[in-house]
Amino acid sequence: MPNVAICAPSAAFAKEDADRVLALALAEFPQVKLHFHPQCFLSEGHFAGPDAARRDALVECANDPAFDAVWFARGGYGAARIAEDALARFDNAAQDKLFLGYSDGGTLLGGLYRNGIGLPVHAPMPADIRRAGGDAAVRRSLAWFSGDRSGEEPAQDGQPRVAFNLMTLTMLCGTPLMPGLAGHVVQVEEVCEYLYAVDRLFFNLTVHLGGIAGLRLGRISEVPENDRPFGAEPEEIARHWCQRHAIPFLGTADIGHDIDNKIVPFGLAR
């Protein structure tokens, strides 16, 4: 019976959204026991409480042997402010845990993967319940907790893989949280960025991806309209920068900031 702790390392989360997730889990996945840490409902400016509260809640959830997994409530921004200090305090109980999230949660997934802690997993979060049709996304992660692997991203390249938001992974480059990705298939997605910004992100990111097995492009969604056309679509942008740095472009990945976002356990398929 999976016992899942939920905390909010980034932006604030709403109690009414938590209640909807709990109701869905109780009705359809009673074998999955969800525990929202009270910190999820704190608010201080952009964040789900001050840095110390978010850090301490994450450490508490990771180090509690009663929990099998830690699920990040939502993304936004904030994990970068606490990640290094939190990971330094993780003890042996964190080693066997699943850690699920995406978007800004990728900051922690990257740090966990770099440090060989637990199993980081790109996956829908409780906050997806707020999207139109978002029950399906939350249901996908709850089913995965229950052992149903049908919601995993289908591309199998025979290599270990990771999945990140493009901005998040680019911001990790050069930091103590950036994992070594040589030999990996790297999947990236983005939301709400101009195409020129997507190009700029690939310009920086691909410099740091030497030796990867290849790149797959998830959905680049909700692109704002600029005052002039950029002149290249997302796949053209990705192909351009991959070619420039001799990175194999392997096609698309079924990930994104949407209700169809699929699950990607880091590393080799298990």
Side-chain angles (χ1 to χ4, degrees), residues 87-208:
L87 293 175
R89 291 170 52 188
F90 281 15
D91 65 21
N92 288 338
Q95 294 295 328
D96 298 324
K97 281 188 172 58
L98 307 169
F99 293 87
L100 275 70
Y102 73 104
S103 188
D104 192 57
T107 302
L108 287 164
L109 299 182
L112 289 161
Y113 199 52
R114 174 178 175 134
N115 288 282
I117 299 173
L119 176 61
V121 183
H122 167 104
M125 298 179 290
D128 286 307
I129 199 80
R130 298 179 301 182
R131 302 182 189 276
D135 286 15
V138 175
R139 188 177 288 114
R140 190 173 304 118
S141 287
L142 291 170
W144 194 86
F145 282 128
S146 304
D148 181 353
R149 298 298 183 253
S150 63
E152 291 188 5
E153 204 280 333
Q156 297 293 335
D157 298 291
Q159 302 292 335
R161 60 181 181 168
V162 295
F164 287 94
N165 170 260
L166 176 60
M167 175 72 79
T168 301
L169 182 56
T170 304
M171 293 299 102
L172 288 181
C173 292
T175 75
L177 299 170
M178 179 67 175
L181 297 178
H184 287 67
V185 173
V186 177
Q187 303 182 359
V188 292
E189 54 79 24
E190 190 51 82
V191 65
C192 295
E193 292 289 348
Y194 290 102
L195 289 180
Y196 71 79
V198 171
D199 191 83
R200 180 186 290 152
L201 291 168
F202 272 113
F203 154 71
N204 185 73
L205 175 63
T206 49
V207 173
H208 297 272

